[in-house]
Amino acid sequence: MRLELRDITKRFPGVLANDRISISADRGKVLGMLGENGAGKTTLMNILSGLYKPDSGQIFIDETERTFGDPVAAIEAGVGMVHQHFMLVPVFDVVEAVALGAETTKDALGTFDRAAARKRIVELSERYKLDVDPDARIESLPVGVRQRVEILKALYRRSDILVLDEPSAVLTPYETEELYAIIRSLAADGTTIIFITHKLNEVLEVADDIVVLRRGRVAGTADPKTATRQELANMMVGRDVELIVPKGPAKPGEVVLSIEQLFVRDDRLEMAVNGVDLEVRAGEIVAVAGVQGNGQTELVEAITGLRTPDSGAISIGGKRTEKWGPRQVSNLGVAHIPEDRGRDGLISPMTIAENYILDTYHEAPYSRNGVLNLKVVRERAAQGVKDFDIRTPSIDTYAGALSGGNQQKVVVAREFSVPVQLVIAAQPTRGLDVGSIEYIHRRLVEQRDAGAAIVIVSTELDEVLAVGDRIAVMYAGRIVGILAGDDATYENLGLLMGGATYGEGTAA
Amino acid sequence: MKRVGPLLRRILVPVLSVLTALLLGGVVIILTDFDNLQKIGTDPLGTLGGAVQGVLNAYGAMLAGAFGDPNRIITALQTGNAADIARAIRPLTETLVSTTPLIFVGLAVSISFRAGMFNIGGDGQLMIGALAATASAIALNGVIPAWLILIATIAIATLAGAAWGFVPGFLKARTGAHEVITTIMLNYIASLFVFFILTTSPALRAAGSTTPVSKQLSSIVDVPNLINLPTIRLDFGFVVALLMAVAVSWLLFRTTKGFELRAAGFSSTAARYAGMSAGGSMMLAMSLSGGLAGMAGGFLVIGTVGQLSLDLSGGIGFNAIALALLAGLRPSGVVVSALLFGALTQGGKRMGIDTGIPFDLLLFIMALVIMFVAAPGLIRSIWRVRVAKPAPEIAQVSSESAGTV
Ligand SMILES: Nc1ncnc2c1ncn2[C@@H]1O[C@H](COP(=O)(O)OP(=O)(O)O)[C@@H](O)[C@H]1O
Ligand SMILES: [Mg+2]
């Protein structure tokens, strides 16, 4: 066995982050590590890479026990880690960033032998098809390439145990495919890889073995050749979950949201939405798919009144709203679930009850003549907590103290506490675990069936495919194709998201 | 540690901070008592006794200076002699006199902080309020009855302070100009403007005076006293200050405007997403804040002091920032903290007279209190208690100021 962790335990104040976890991985194999947020994956890998000391447990490399006092010792033993949040110096070029701390020197004075370093980097980059320009500055590189620089950095230090902590979180589907190819070629060369994720498809795609963590423990192991998504999801959550919320066919009614030739500029005054036309009807869910940064954010802001479009028309329920502010739009019965719930959807240092009335506080029954009716506020908030199964000690708990899933439930509970005709949900399940995703999707489908028009903006193909009755793909500020939910596949959506235009015949 | 009630948990850090600061103050008293320390070689036990005695004397004098001597108050009340009673209760009433403007300005600071605005301009808003009250009292003299002048001057002082506070609120909302800079600058402008008026305006300036002070206003208008005894200055300004605490608490926690103000203070983007006008909240909060400070200035010139002078505010604006933080930006806390600061101020004077320990020791103690409140981790490790995280509103203000000041 190339690598074995045995009975690793790590306790943080109040949390048992790792509870006697044992895993092992062979030379040239990819171990997929699956687990919800907070399951303890990063902690375990930080122990392997020498950043944390375990409270107890052993690390074996090639059957010999090792203890790593610090990351340098782990690197010397061959462990390389690509962190969830990258750690590169932005003003360095690739050669400097990769060689930093492991410089080859050419004389007694310790002068950096740039030429030698560059040569090795080019070799490595070519051998594993990393496709990195050695002279580019880090800050000019897209995240996907920066990640490959991190991989280069590990390889440069001759790591042959490579840990990738949630690498796909920042990648487009296409970049993820490229990453799989890199992983496969590294494994073929004998590198042991630990691939961490909370996405089911990814482990099934790339892993040779799967280990599932739940609440700091190993919940089970699985063989990717035989395991199903359902089994893995149940193992991860600890109960039976519905990966695709059951829903009947859509019964589209009147047009509720209609957008014509919409142009919107972003903060840098660049045109971010470049002539969008879109209609969404009552009783249907339109999913807007696309890689982050293709104008979805600005589109949502324009619809919800947060950003004034350059030109074009937006109608909601027959009213022209493109010049309206957020309050006016919301008064029409438009629910908005913002992309960044921590920053825009909630006020973390305010209580759940206060967040529950954040955009309805000025209306009856919460207030009259400018005076709040705290009794009613508390009653309704308590009801919302109950109806939406928000796990909290009380309605007086600060919203910031809740888990991500429960925070999102507060937002959804608030937005659905008044009758809505249109729901704009931006990345409604980003960062949430399988159980919370199931819950949020269920509520969105419920609103659809009650007759609301729903727009879900998401970068997750799984989400788009699971809930979209129709799927619109956004690329470079335009909608480049609209597919019926039944016709959409990973492949055709992936192509459209990468900028390919779809044949007119198949576009619905 | 046992689970403690929310109120106790909230006041644990401030109370322990005050206690720790007083203990450290005691250490300083001992270490600076050189006469006593010199004996340490020959008479160590005596030195120890002397040290304890020194601290007890100092803090005893402080307590007596702040609240008076209970025995004396009882005896005086029994004899019924007005002069005796006045002398016995005067320390307590003087403490309340110093407390009054601290409550007003402490509330002012709390409102602005709640809305995410770091208002350093309390002094300037107070001076402008005081100037407006002085000018209007002189202008209205003889025109309308004195009781109407009283109401009019306080109202005008409040409006003038509000206008002075509105300016930085408006500048921030419209142009993003940072309120810390603008309020500091407006403080200079306010005090120089008052100086200018007092040196150039024959209508306001006291005739024949060599220093820039206004005419005595007590012959025109005076805030009625709470207790009618000679030398007792405590007046209805104190009652109004308490009423304002109730009003501010109601505004912040029971009204939609207060809700908007707090929401915008925590997160202006979330407030915008919720359809609120963050700029409106800034301007409202700064106007209310300036209004309260202006009101303090009004009560000072036509009540306590009876005259406008350049040192009228005496750094109240700055102390008010400290006590608002100590109070966790809660109006009830502001009243208690203002009382504490008022008591320390009055008691410190008496301690200086009785024991020769300089008043600066009190400033040292106040500074320590603020430091401990700002660093609850320190209190936690000193007293080995588990304390709640700092109230988020304080955390918010201090992180905001750390980033921008
Ligand atoms: N440095 C730390 N201090 C305290 N608690 C931590 C720390 N790092 C992680 N935790 C806690 O340990 C648990 C596991 O976290 P983590 O290993 O990051 O999970 P994952 O990577 O699977 O999402 C979580 O409850 C987290 O809050
Ligand atoms: Mg992690």
Side-chain angles (χ1 to χ4, degrees), chain A residues 479-491:
Chain A
I479 289 187
V480 290
I482 298 185
L483 308 179
D486 296 338
D487 299 337
T489 61
Y490 283 98
E491 287 70 35

Side-chain angles (χ1 to χ4, degrees), chain A residues 137-337:
Chain A
R137 263 161 84 98
I138 297 294
E139 58 192 352
S140 71
L141 297 174
V143 262
V145 182
R146 282 192 211 193
Q147 187 172 64
R148 299 204 291 264
V149 175
E150 288 275 8
I151 295 174
L152 254 180
K153 207 171 152 181
L155 298 177
Y156 187 84
R157 287 160 177 70
R158 303 182 198 286
S159 302
D160 59 357
I161 298 172
L162 185 64
V163 179
L164 301 168
D165 195 356
E166 306 216 12
S168 61
V170 293
L171 300 183
T172 64
Y174 180 71
E175 286 174 320
T176 308
E177 288 295 335
E178 288 181 327
L179 177 67
Y180 294 158
I182 294 166
I183 289 175
R184 289 192 191 102
S185 76
L186 283 168
D189 253 17
T191 304
T192 303
I193 289 165
I194 301 183
F195 180 89
I196 299 178
T197 182
H198 63 243
K199 295 182 194 158
L200 305 166
N201 298 334
E202 298 185 344
V203 280
L204 290 171
E205 177 92 6
V206 81
D208 296 303
D209 295 290
I210 299 174
V211 57
V212 181
L213 298 193
R214 182 171 78 235
R215 297 189 187 178
R217 296 191 183 181
V218 174
T221 56
D223 179 351
K225 289 193 273 303
T226 55
T228 63
R229 283 163 47 89
Q230 190 65 53
E231 284 163 18
L232 292 175
N234 293 353
M235 214 186 271
M236 195 156 100
V237 181
R239 64 176 169 86
D240 289 340
V241 282
E242 269 158 0
L243 286 173
I244 297 186
V245 170
K247 64 177 169 83
K251 301 188 189 73
E254 300 279 287
V255 172
V256 175
L257 171 68
S258 147
I259 299 174
E260 277 165 47
Q261 278 305 299
L262 190 71
F263 288 81
V264 187
R265 288 180 197 272
D266 63 16
D267 288 336
R268 291 166 306 160
L269 301 181
E270 313 263 350
M271 203 57 84
V273 175
N274 234 324
V276 162
D277 293 291
L278 185 67
E279 275 190 353
V280 184
R281 293 170 178 273
E284 71 166 347
I285 298 180
V286 172
V288 176
V291 176
Q292 183 81 36
N294 276 287
Q296 302 98 314
T297 306
E298 289 76 12
L299 176 64
V300 166
E301 287 176 345
I303 299 172
T304 52
L306 288 156
R307 192 180 282 274
T308 314
D310 242 41
S311 63
I314 303 174
S315 309
I316 299 173
K319 299 216 168 57
R320 288 286 289 266
T321 62
E322 68 267 8
K323 296 205 172 63
W324 290 15
R327 165 124 338 145
Q328 277 173 298
V329 172
S330 142
N331 284 346
L332 278 181
V334 177
H336 178 200
I337 299 169

Side-chain angles (χ1 to χ4, degrees), chain A residues 23 81 162-163 195 313 340 350 371 405 462:
Chain A
I23 60 165
M81 177 136 173
L162 185 64
V163 179
F195 180 89
D340 189 340
M350 284 183 123
V371 180
D462 282 337

